[in-house]
Amino acid sequence: MLFFNGVAIAQIQNADVLNAPVDVSRDFENYLNTFYFADELTSFDPATGKGTVKYLRFNYKTRMAFNNIEMKPYLAVPNEFPSTEYEAEPVQPFALQFVSDRTIRIKMSSGPQFHQPSESLMLINGTAPNHPESWKYSKTPTGHKYTSKYGSVEIIAKPWHVKVYDATGKLLTSTLHDSDLQNTYTPTLPFSYVRRNSDYSRSMAPVFSLEPDEKIFGCGESFTNFNKRGQKMILWADDANGVQNETQYKPIPFYMSSRGYGVFMHTSAPITLDFGKYYSSANKMMLGDDEADLFFFIGEPKDILDEYTDLTGKASMPPLWSFGLWMSRITYFSEKEGREVAKNLRKYKIPSDVIHFDTGWFDVDWRNNYQFASKRFDDPVKMMADMKKDGFNVCLWQLPYFTPKNTLFNEVVDQGLVVKDRKGNLPYEDAVLDFSNPDAVKWYQAKLKHLFDQGVAVFKVDFGEAAPADGLYHSGRTGFYEHNLYPLRYNKAVAEITQKEKGYTLIWARSTWAGSQRYPLHWGGDAETNNGAIAATLRGGLSLGLSGFSFWSHDLGGFVTKSPESLYRRWTPFGMLTSHVRSHGEPPREPWLYSEDFLKGYRNADNMRYELMPYIYAQAKESSEKGLPMLRALFVEFPNDPGSWLIDNEYLFGSDILVAPLLEEVTERDVYLPPGQWIDYQTKQVYAGGWHKIKAGDIPIVVLVKNGAVIPHIKLAQSTQDMDWKNLTLKVYAAEGTATATGKVFLPGGDTVKTVTTDKKGSSFEVSQNPLGAKTTFKTEWIK
């Protein structure tokens, strides 16, 4: 596929720069192009779900009205020669498939598909299942209808529509036909495709209805307003260089609606989404792809996430030690520095499980050649073995780009393991490893295996957002389709060699695409060191969690400059109550290099996390099995509470703990509580649902526990390897009048999450039955 007419313009900088996000909406706004509006169903086989749709050809014309130029689409006559050879009103394929009783697949194309890969890397099994037996067909006066126990899909022949309903018959969304838009003067695109006059390539634009008060969430780690309604989004992997702009390290072609449905756009081409920004009733999915392959999921948020991750994959369960603190900075340069950090973590009693060496463990900073600098690391194998004995796992930074002075540069180029340009040279000065080439993956994984053999536990999978957009890849496709897929290929390559060599699936990655959630975990990128960044980081984490990612982290205190102590103090407990936690960024990051008061506060927040490890571990396991995020938007647990859909500065940590970080230098904040009673984790005060102004406790954060929840705790240890899982304390959060409380437990090496139930007996709560038998002894403590 050739590129569009015109150049890509960066979203933020508004400049034509390398790897600027590709905004395909320009092609749907270029009125020199030819437009084809979906008009009527011309054939359909109910047994196979396959048919054809006729498209009418339009061109936009202008007229001047009282000193104002207006534009409107008009039916167009053919402009091809000879006229006998080409269709003026083409008939194109349309297919309906039923993945499950909640999931509908709509597939359409704008022309012949001669090159169809047999499998998709984005789908967990390469292909999507088809279960037509779960839907009942019926003929209607206007077309066709299929019904399952969760909803229905109706096809109207003319004017062509596909309408999706829930089980009660409520319309969730519908394709928009040109006839639906005759009641407005605004020139609004219906369901269509565009043919570019610049190169005759095509792009689909599935356009669906948006209803009043409908809200949209997801699309990956997006730092803009949480509700995407009224926004324009460009899904193109980009080094966002911060968390307070609209570009994304982690774009995901998936979103969910407050009306009870979700949509997965199954493509790796660039996508521009207009969620009612230009015309408030139209949801325009402008795909760079000449094919539209859409999956619709019906249900509440938990149902939608479960279905979406059944299709694209659920997160593997990370090892226990990964849930401990990762200590880092940019960067530790030597074995001496690493050993000193390990020593001080234990000296100052800062529980920790990982020490990360960032960009400086090579001979030349940033010049990644997969070898420890011999002059600064006397014996890295012994260093890592010693650290392991003391409860530390070692993480190493690396990236898939090779600068011209890298000792591996000629090797990867000579062996043909890199992305090429149209002449067969390099698109950039750097050589970019081509992960679509099995030989490149094999070469790369061998480098990592050598380091695993030395004692490395995990790799930081940095960058990955700059795969050449016009490069040629071993897959036979250009960067137009490979750029967004590159992070997924990159994540997969590292995760699979880690699983093979270490027995667990774990990475620490920055970039993603759909399916990357299978390879945990990911962190939020290079956050600024200010209040705005802590709020934007939270929005990004919430959005990524609503895109199928169970596990996510961020750099405590921000990344870019030395973190102000006041900011770092408030950011720390926020990070400690995230699925994974790392201190990282411009030095210093180590808490003992700040004030004594800060060190104490950091230690208290860290101790809280380590004592909560049984809760964290059980919630992580359940999240990985159900496609749920650990950092969870309120409406995931409370979908019927309208207020929960409006909150973007709080979250649920798992199912039972509500967290409200201090986003400014204050000691109290307004907190919205969903229905029910909530008990302050630090002060034990009980609150009813609704708005409250709540003071933070000694740890500068507001944390509340849902009434009736059992939160398992463990005796404090300095690393997870020293934890005593045979003796757990069940803290029962139960307001007066509550007779029963339940919680989740999951032991290291266990198979399933167990539910533990406690009943009130006299002045205490007691375990009615120990689901773990003799493996663990429970002590109960009633928090009231």
Side-chain angles (χ1 to χ4, degrees):
M1 183 178 223
L2 298 177
F3 278 100
F4 328 113
N5 183 41
V7 296
I9 300 298
Q11 282 179 273
I12 300 300
Q13 298 90 343
N14 196 29
D16 182 13
V17 294
L18 184 64
N19 199 39
V22 176
D23 181 1
V24 295
S25 70
R26 292 173 166 269
D27 297 299
F28 294 93
E29 296 163 357
N30 183 347
Y31 299 125
L32 295 176
N33 292 337
T34 303
F35 295 80
Y36 294 83
F37 295 175
D39 186 56
E40 67 174 301
L41 189 72
T42 49
S43 68
F44 189 72
D45 180 359
T48 63
K50 295 181 178 180
T52 54
V53 171
K54 183 172 76 173
Y55 292 76
L56 301 182
R57 182 188 300 212
F58 286 84
N59 289 130
Y60 278 81
K61 296 182 180 179
T62 64
R63 73 170 182 175
M64 194 277 288
F66 298 106
N67 308 311
N68 185 58
I69 294 291
E70 299 172 347
M71 303 193 73
K72 183 180 177 181
Y74 290 87
L75 282 169
V77 297
N79 65 342
E80 295 90 357
F81 178 84
S83 59
T84 57
E85 305 303 303
Y86 307 98
E87 290 182 295
E89 298 177 351
V91 173
Q92 307 288 15
F94 161 68
L96 199 63
Q97 179 180 330
F98 298 104
V99 177
S100 73
D101 50 10
R102 288 189 183 274
T103 303
I104 306 155
R105 185 181 195 179
I106 300 172
K107 197 168 185 179
M108 304 180 73
S109 63
S110 59
Q113 300 294 307
F114 297 116
H115 178 65
Q116 286 280 43
S118 58
E119 293 187 343
S120 167
L121 192 62
M122 289 174 271
L123 304 180
I124 183 63
N125 294 315
T127 58
N130 188 16
H131 296 291
E133 69 280 359
S134 58
W135 294 73
K136 181 181 178 181
Y137 171 77
S138 60
K139 185 74 174 72
T140 69
T142 57
H144 311 270
K145 189 174 184 178
Y146 295 85
T147 304
S148 79
K149 61 181 178 180
Y150 295 114
S152 61
V153 55
E154 180 183 16
I155 306 167
I156 297 175
K158 185 175 177 63
W160 178 77
H161 286 87
V162 175
K163 296 177 178 286
V164 181
Y165 302 87
D166 69 9
T168 69
K170 181 181 78 172
L171 177 67
L172 301 178
T173 190
S174 168
T175 57
L176 288 183
H177 184 272
D178 186 45
S179 62
D180 299 321
L181 304 169
Q182 296 306 307
N183 54 12
T184 176
Y185 292 126
T186 303
T188 301
L189 201 67
F191 196 112
S192 57
Y193 67 88
V194 64
R195 188 186 69 195
R196 303 176 187 86
N197 281 358
S198 60
D199 60 10
Y200 251 48
S201 62
R202 302 175 305 278
S203 284
M204 296 289 296
V207 181
F208 282 77
S209 62
L210 285 172
E211 300 301 325
D213 295 328
E214 184 172 356
K215 301 168 184 64
I216 301 291
F217 302 91
C219 295
E221 186 190 56
S222 172
F223 305 114
T224 60
N225 287 345
F226 187 36
N227 177 8
K228 304 308 173 191
R229 177 73 180 264
Q231 297 185 49
K232 177 181 177 181
M233 301 191 67
I234 298 175
L235 302 187
W236 178 265
D238 181 51
D239 183 347
N241 284 299
V243 301
Q244 295 185 81
N245 66 73
E246 58 190 358
T247 57
Q248 293 178 264
Y249 302 104
K250 305 174 188 63
I252 302 295
F254 168 84
Y255 62 87
M256 68 170 64
S257 165
S258 60
R259 286 184 70 80
Y261 69 93
V263 178
F264 170 45
M265 297 156 282
H266 181 215
T267 179
S268 59
I271 300 170
T272 300
L273 299 165
D274 184 322
F275 292 121
K277 179 180 185 294
Y278 179 68
Y279 185 71
S280 63
S281 294
N283 172 9
K284 295 189 288 188
M285 293 174 266
M286 293 165 279
L287 314 178
D289 209 330
D290 62 354
E291 185 178 38
D293 188 6
L294 307 177
F295 292 84
F296 286 78
F297 312 96
I298 299 173
E300 293 184 341
K302 284 185 177 181
D303 303 318
I304 293 168
L305 289 171
D306 194 31
E307 291 282 315
Y308 169 66
T309 53
D310 275 349
L311 184 69
T312 59
K314 288 179 163 60
S316 300
M317 179 64 177
L320 173 63
W321 58 261
S322 74
F323 293 94
L325 174 66
W326 299 47
M327 181 54 66
S328 175
R329 63 158 64 181
I330 183 169
T331 178
Y332 302 132
F333 287 98
S334 67
E335 179 176 332
K336 179 181 178 182
E337 281 188 275
R339 287 184 178 275
E340 188 70 18
V341 170
K343 177 183 175 182
N344 281 325
L345 284 165
R346 297 296 180 246
K347 172 184 174 181
Y348 291 105
K349 297 191 181 301
I350 304 296
S352 180
D353 276 74
V354 182
I355 292 177
H356 170 67
F357 291 87
D358 212 61
T359 62
W361 58 280
F362 326 104
D363 286 323
V364 179
D365 192 19
W366 292 90
R367 191 186 292 173
N368 169 36
N369 63 358
Y370 305 101
Q371 294 180 8
F372 282 96
S374 58
K375 293 182 179 180
R376 291 182 276 110
F377 290 84
D378 297 332
D379 191 341
V381 173
K382 186 176 187 305
M383 177 194 75
M384 289 186 281
D386 290 346
M387 287 182 172
K388 185 66 176 175
K389 289 177 184 177
D390 201 17
F392 294 108
N393 295 271
V394 170
C395 176
L396 295 182
W397 177 93
Q398 53 81 69
L399 83 172
Y401 312 147
F402 298 87
T403 57
K405 292 184 179 180
N406 193 308
T407 55
L408 297 172
F409 180 87
N410 290 334
E411 182 178 340
V412 294
V413 172
D414 292 346
Q415 292 185 27
L417 306 180
V418 297
V419 180
K420 298 178 175 62
D421 68 10
R422 285 169 287 183
K423 190 179 179 181
N425 291 323
L426 300 184
Y428 304 158
E429 291 187 74
D430 290 355
V432 177
L433 206 61
D434 184 356
F435 287 110
S436 76
N437 183 346
D439 290 336
V441 173
K442 183 178 179 180
W443 178 92
Y444 172 70
Q445 289 180 334
K447 298 295 183 185
L448 301 189
K449 180 186 183 304
H450 173 68
L451 291 162
F452 279 137
D453 290 342
Q454 290 184 307
V456 174
V458 62
F459 287 99
K460 179 176 174 179
V461 184
D462 207 0
F463 291 88
E465 306 94 350
D470 57 354
L472 299 178
Y473 292 73
H474 183 271
S475 66
R477 300 189 295 186
T478 71
F480 188 82
Y481 284 95
E482 284 291 342
H483 172 90
N484 280 334
L485 210 55
Y486 193 90
L488 175 57
R489 295 190 187 277
Y490 180 24
N491 293 173
K492 181 175 185 285
V494 184
E496 288 185 344
I497 189 64
T498 306
Q499 173 60 234
K500 180 180 178 181
E501 297 300 321
K502 308 300 287 188
Y504 48 76
T505 300
L506 182 69
I507 62 177
W508 187 278
R510 190 175 76 176
S511 57
T512 70
W513 189 247
S516 287
Q517 73 275 0
R518 303 192 294 259
Y519 314 114
L521 59 111
H522 300 81
W523 101 99
D526 299 341
E528 297 83 351
T529 42
N530 59 36
N531 287 338
I534 191 171
T537 292
L538 175 51
R539 292 195 299 272
L542 288 171
S543 293
L544 187 67
L546 293 172
S547 305
F549 285 72
S550 294
F551 305 112
W552 171 83
S553 186
H554 45 93
D555 293 339
L556 301 192
F559 172 85
V560 179
T561 60
K562 175 186 176 182
S563 185
E565 186 169 297
S566 61
L567 177 72
Y568 200 0
R569 187 192 309 273
R570 288 180 282 113
W571 203 316
T572 294
F574 166 37
M576 295 295 178
L577 296 174
T578 307
S579 85
H580 290 76
V581 55
R582 180 179 75 161
S583 277
H584 179 71
E586 287 293 331
R589 290 290 148 167
E590 301 77 16
W592 53 86
L593 297 179
Y594 287 80
S595 71
E596 189 68 30
D597 185 60
F598 177 86
L599 172 62
K600 178 182 177 182
Y602 190 101
R603 182 189 299 117
N604 288 343
D606 195 14
N607 288 349
M608 172 182 65
R609 177 179 181 85
Y610 272 69
E611 290 174 344
L612 277 169
M613 196 59 70
Y615 173 81
I616 294 170
Y617 199 52
Q619 291 289 326
K621 179 63 174 176
E622 187 166 70
S623 294
S624 72
E625 292 176 342
K626 297 182 178 180
L628 294 171
M630 284 282 284
L631 189 136
R632 198 170 297 177
L634 302 190
F635 63 74
V636 173
E637 293 291 334
F638 298 92
N640 298 317
D641 173 40
S644 291
W645 291 86
L646 305 176
I647 304 300
D648 67 357
N649 60 2
E650 308 169 17
Y651 61 96
L652 288 164
F653 184 40
S655 60
D656 297 328
I657 294 179
L658 185 147
V659 181
L662 300 183
L663 305 178
E664 300 179 61
E665 191 57 32
V666 294
T667 58
E668 63 180 7
R669 57 160 289 179
D670 292 325
V671 180
Y672 177 79
L673 301 178
Q677 290 180 299
W678 296 84
I679 302 168
D680 193 300
Y681 183 77
Q682 299 189 74
T683 68
K684 302 181 183 179
Q685 186 171 339
V686 179
Y687 297 90
W691 283 102
H692 302 271
K693 189 174 288 290
I694 301 177
K695 285 185 177 294
D698 292 337
I699 299 173
I701 196 166
V702 176
V703 183
L704 301 109
V705 180
K706 184 168 62 178
N707 182 45
V710 171
I711 308 297
H713 286 63
I714 198 167
K715 184 179 179 181
L716 182 64
Q718 293 303 299
S719 75
T720 57
Q721 78 172 16
D722 296 326
M723 288 181 168
D724 178 13
W725 289 84
K726 293 182 179 179
N727 296 283
L728 299 181
T729 297
L730 302 179
K731 294 193 176 183
V732 181
Y733 288 80
E736 290 295 341
T738 304
T740 301
T742 62
K744 306 287 185 181
V745 287
F746 178 67
L747 296 183
D751 296 323
T752 59
V753 177
K754 304 292 186 181
T755 298
V756 58
T757 300
T758 63
D759 297 316
K760 187 179 180 183
K761 293 185 178 180
S763 59
S764 64
F765 276 79
E766 297 179 9
V767 176
S768 55
Q769 183 178 359
N770 186 343
L772 300 177
K775 294 180 181 179
T776 298
T777 299
F778 292 127
K779 174 186 175 183
T780 60
E781 181 181 339
W782 184 12
I783 306 298
K784 57 179 179 176

